Each structure stands twice: as C-alpha cells, then as structure tokens.
C-alpha cells in the first residue's frame, strides 16, 4: 500500500492506494468517530462491493442508501434520498458517511455529508479510475442543475480516501478511458515528465497493467494533493485542474447529462483549449497534434459534438464557475506542462475554435 497526505492543517487526511484495501478493516476504523455509519452507493456498485465494505463495519450501526446510477441522477431530487435514508435511520452529527462509488456517488455523498445537520464526517472509497485520480481528493462536492454542471455544492474534505485498485477490474473500458482524460490532464498542466511516461505507457494502461495503473493513480493523486494543499478553495492555481472543463461542461450539459461521459467531454474540451492555445501563439501545431494522439491512444474523443452551435457553447460556458463579474476565464496551455487561467484570450480565436466544430 502507498500513502499520500493532503496537507490541510487540522483537516489533513491520508489517501491510501493499493490492492485488497477493501478487506482491511483497520484502515477505516480510525476515521469513524461515532457508532454509526451510512454507506452511499449506487445500484451498479452496491452488488459488487457493498458487502465487502460492510465486513469492515462490524460493531457499528450501519445503514445503506443505494442511488440510481448515472450522471442524470446527480440532482437535488436524488440527493434527498440520502437525507431521507439518514433521517429514517437516526443518523446524527457523529455519524460517518461512506461514499462507495465513482465521482457521481462521491460528489453526492460528499454534499450530503457537507449539509446533513450542517456537516458530518465522510470517507471516500472511489471505484472508478476518474474518481481515484481526481474527484475523491480535494473536497469538491455537489450536484448538477439542468442549466449548469456542478452548480450546487460545497467544499467539504473527507477524513480519508481509500483507493482499492482491485475495484477497477469490473470497470468497463469506456469508463477506464474517461478516467485517463483526467490523468493526462495532470501531465499537460504541470508535469512534462509524466506526460512522456504516459505517452510511452498508454498501451500498458489500456491493457490494465496493474503496475502502470498504480503508478498513474499515485502520481495523479500526488499532483491533486499538492494543488489542493496550496489552494483548497480555488482562489488561484486549483482552477488549472479545470483544463478542458469549461468546454467539457458545456458538452455535458448541452448534450444531456450522461450522454457524454465527464472524461470524454474533458478530452474533447482539452483539444478545444489546446487549439485556442495554439491560436494564441502559445502551442505549436505539432504539440496540438501530440495532445490529440495521446487522447486518441486512450480511446478518447478528440472532436466535440457537432450538434451544439457556437452560441449554445458560449451560453453554457458563460455559466461556468470560473466566470467572475460576468467575465469568462479559461484554462489554456502556455506550453506543454504549463497551464494558465486567463480572461485575456482572443475572443475571435475562441469563436473560430467553436465554429470549426
Ligand atoms: P460515475 O460515478 O458515473 O461512474 C461511472 C460508471 O461506472 C457508473 O455507471 C458507475 O456505476 C460505474 N462504476 C463505478 N465503479 C465501478 C466499478 N468498480 N465497476 C463497475 N462499474 C463501476 O462517473 P465518474 O467518471 O466516476 O465520475 C464523474 C463525476 O465526477 C462527474 O459528475 C464529475 O462532475 C465528477 N467530478 C468531480 C470532481 C471533484 O473534484 N469533485 C472531479 C472530477 C469529476
Ligand atoms: N477536479 C477539479 C478540482 O478538484 O479542482
């Protein structure tokens, strides 16, 4: 097992990464304060891993809430099912919520924990590659609104993150690829050495080589932990983790939640951000081509959907959380391995990128 720490003073917490961690009861025990837990999962993951997780919770009063599966269920309405389960089972302020699942379960479980009785402890047990390398770390929680992605939420850090890499064995290939979009993101925004490693090892990752996957997860979590420790509330550099996300969120919202996976939308959005960066004179054409090759090698889409008009893109993009005082900020690439958050992009170049689609 490998351990990383998210350094946030008294709210610091460990990330445990390894094989077989779901069977290690002693890992969770120190992070459960009271005598009751509530495990939130969904109808796909619960049959696979709920029982295994529950074995770690003997002696505690535990209730389970099993949500419907899918991004389109990441809503305030479905969130209410968690509160109802907690109230029916007498969860109190000392209860600990355990989110067992991908980013949707983690974001919703985290938001329920942030808001139930004004905040209770929670633990992230991510089961998709995307949630292992990104969403389970850093305390961003929330749900979607029909008009915008992740528009309702809170920052609420977990007590610990337990990444059992064995759970990836049941994840389908499309979801594995979606997770790789966020892994590639770390290389593009802050680590050219990792980018080189990813280029060389993409076929091993696609073949699910356990060592390659463990390294990619560890390195990604290391980046995420560092960024979050420096800028927990996204006052500055944490925004750089959103490379491709402003375009991507427009794709997710515009195409209907769940039709494009988050990672797929981020991949196509990353290409759009790279093309705009090239038009700004920051990236070379062959670097844009290199980015496309890497994303394509991970079986990710590099072309955005053609059914959204430039005006529709701009409409969704203008509701992004990086909009400040009505001005849209974008994460672009100054060079390979160096991202920048800027409002000083050329709007004609942005329109040209959107129109090319
Ligand atoms: P997801 O949670 O929808 O999971 C993808 C699919 O895989 C689901 O059908 C799920 O049931 C299934 N699944 C999960 N684990 C499995 C396993 N081990 N075996 C078989 N099937 C499994 O999607 P995701 O990609 O994990 O997360 C995407 C969500 O994360 C989006 O809502 C996005 O906004 C959010 N997100 C949040 C942050 C953050 O910082 N909080 C960061 C990135 C993404
Ligand atoms: N996924 C972006 C962030 O956590 O800030």
């Amino acid at each position: 097992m490998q351990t990383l720490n998210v350094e946030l003073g008294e709210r610091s917490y460990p990330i445990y990464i390894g094989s077989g961690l779901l069977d290690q009861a002693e890992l969770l025990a120190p992070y459960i304060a009271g005598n009751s837990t509530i495990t939130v999962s969904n109808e796909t993951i619960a049959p696979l891993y709920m029982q295994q997780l529950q074995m770690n919770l003997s002696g505690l009063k535990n209730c389970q809430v099993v949500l419907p599966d899918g991004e389109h269920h990441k809503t305030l309405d479905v969130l209410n099912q968690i509160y109802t389960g907690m109230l029916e089972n007498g969860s109190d302020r000392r209860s600990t919520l355990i989110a067992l699942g991908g980013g949707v379960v983690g974001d919703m479980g985290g938001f329920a924990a942030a808001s139930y009785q004004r905040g209770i402890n929670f633990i992230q047990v991510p089961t998709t590659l995307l949630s292992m390398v990104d969403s389970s770390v850093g305390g961003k929680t929330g749900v979607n609104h029909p008009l915008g992605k992740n528009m309702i939420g809170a920052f609420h850090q977990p007590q610990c993150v337990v990444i059992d890499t064995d759970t990836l064995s049941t994840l389908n290939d499309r979801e594995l690829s979606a997770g790789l979009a966020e892994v590639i993101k770390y290389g593009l925004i802050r680590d050219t050495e990792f980018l080189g490693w990813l280029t060389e090892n993409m076929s091993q990752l696609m073949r699910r080589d356990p060592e390659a996957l463990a390294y990619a997860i560890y390195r990604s979590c290391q980046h995420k932990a560092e960024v979050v420790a420096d800028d927990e509330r996204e006052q500055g550099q944490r925004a750089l983790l959103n490379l491709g996300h402003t375009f991507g969120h427009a794709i997710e919202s515009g195409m209907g939640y769940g039709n494009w996976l988050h990672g797929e939308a981020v991949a196509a959005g990353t290409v759009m951000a790279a093309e705009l960066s090239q038009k700004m004179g920051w990236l070379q054409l062959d670097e844009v081509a290199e980015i496309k090759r890497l994303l394509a090698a991970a079986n990710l889409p590099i072309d955005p959907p053609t059914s959204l008009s430039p005006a529709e893109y701009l409409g969704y993009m203008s509701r992004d959380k990086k909009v400040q005082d009505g001005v849209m900020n974008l994460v672009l690439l100054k060079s390979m391995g160096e991202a920048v958050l800027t409002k000083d992009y050329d709007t004609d170049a942005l329109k040209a990128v959107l129109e090319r689609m």
Side-chain angles (χ1 to χ4, degrees):
M1 180 177 83
Q2 293 180 294
T3 306
L4 289 163
N5 219 31
V6 184
E7 303 288 353
L8 288 169
E10 60 185 15
R11 285 173 297 104
S12 297
Y13 56 93
I15 305 168
Y16 299 116
I17 305 167
S19 158
L21 302 195
L22 271 186
D23 295 322
Q24 296 188 25
E26 68 281 7
L27 271 188
L28 291 183
Y31 304 99
I32 297 172
N35 64 6
S36 71
T37 58
I38 169 161
T39 307
V40 177
S41 193
N42 77 20
E43 60 204 5
T44 304
I45 304 149
L48 295 169
Y49 301 111
M50 183 69 95
Q51 206 182 357
Q52 204 179 347
L53 182 74
Q54 297 303 302
M55 305 283 278
N56 296 320
L57 305 173
S58 60
L60 295 164
K61 189 175 146 218
N62 184 248
C63 75
Q64 299 162 20
V65 175
V66 177
L67 303 175
D69 187 2
E71 182 75 37
H72 58 293
H73 291 298
K74 193 179 170 185
T75 62
L76 278 172
D77 262 1
V78 175
L79 181 75
N80 211 26
Q81 292 181 21
I82 307 180
Y83 301 130
T84 303
M86 294 168 92
L87 287 164
E88 283 176 354
N89 285 280
S91 299
D92 62 25
R93 280 193 163 160
R94 298 248 302 156
S95 301
T96 299
L97 187 150
I98 303 173
L100 170 70
V104 171
V105 165
D107 281 12
M108 293 181 78
F111 189 43
S115 48
Y116 184 74
Q117 298 195 6
R118 302 203 177 88
I120 63 168
N121 286 350
F122 91 112
I123 292 173
Q124 288 272 22
V125 184
T127 60
T128 60
L129 180 61
L130 186 140
S131 55
M132 292 175 183
V133 299
D134 193 350
S135 62
S136 64
V137 177
K140 279 190 183 176
T141 72
V143 294
N144 299 328
H145 186 280
L147 294 180
K149 176 89 182 133
N150 294 335
M151 278 294 146
I152 300 143
F155 285 99
H156 189 57
Q157 300 293 343
Q159 307 310 114
C160 72
V161 181
V162 177
I163 300 177
D164 185 337
T165 51
D166 293 350
T167 58
L168 293 177
S169 64
T170 51
L171 193 68
N172 69 35
D173 290 343
R174 187 178 169 199
E175 297 290 352
L176 189 88
S177 289
L180 288 171
E182 303 280 17
V183 175
I184 292 168
K185 169 188 82 179
Y186 293 112
L188 288 173
I189 62 170
R190 66 199 312 265
D191 188 350
T192 45
E193 195 187 312
F194 187 40
L195 205 53
W197 182 89
L198 286 169
T199 307
E200 274 181 23
N201 290 276
M202 191 49 75
S203 55
Q204 279 91 314
L205 290 169
M206 294 296 281
R207 282 205 310 272
R208 299 174 186 243
D209 174 83
E211 256 180 52
L213 277 174
Y215 178 72
I217 293 167
Y218 180 84
R219 189 76 172 240
S220 301
C221 285
Q222 209 171 24
H223 281 298
K224 181 88 193 242
E226 271 176 32
V227 171
V228 169
D230 284 351
D231 180 22
E232 182 186 10
R233 295 279 172 143
E234 200 166 302
Q235 304 299 306
Q237 67 148 331
R238 183 164 180 176
L240 303 181
L241 294 175
N242 285 312
L243 176 68
H245 283 58
T246 305
F247 296 99
H249 285 166
I251 296 173
E252 284 187 87
S253 309
M255 297 304 288
Y257 294 122
N259 289 320
W260 275 61
L261 300 183
H262 176 71
E264 293 171 343
V266 165
T270 298
V271 173
M272 295 167 90
E275 288 187 354
L276 182 52
S277 306
Q278 187 271 323
K279 288 188 190 304
M280 297 289 294
W282 295 337
L283 286 188
Q284 303 301 312
L285 275 174
D286 61 342
E287 292 172 325
V288 177
E290 188 185 328
I291 294 172
K292 286 184 181 176
R293 267 198 305 277
L294 186 57
L295 293 167
N299 224 1
L300 284 160
I302 52 174
D303 289 317
T306 46
S307 51
L308 286 180
S309 69
E312 284 171 311
Y313 268 107
L314 287 172
Y316 283 110
M317 289 168 75
S318 67
R319 284 193 285 270
D320 186 75
K321 290 189 290 310
K322 288 180 294 305
V323 170
Q324 284 182 343
D325 302 326
V327 178
M328 189 160 73
N329 285 278
L330 289 176
V331 182
L332 299 179
L333 291 173
K334 273 266 170 188
S335 63
M336 297 294 263
E338 188 195 356
V340 63
L341 178 71
T342 180
K343 57 180 169 23
D344 295 325
Y345 46 85
D346 178 345
T347 48
D348 287 338
L350 171 61
K351 283 189 190 130
V353 168
L354 296 176
E355 269 155 20
R356 185 188 76 76
M357 310 307 160

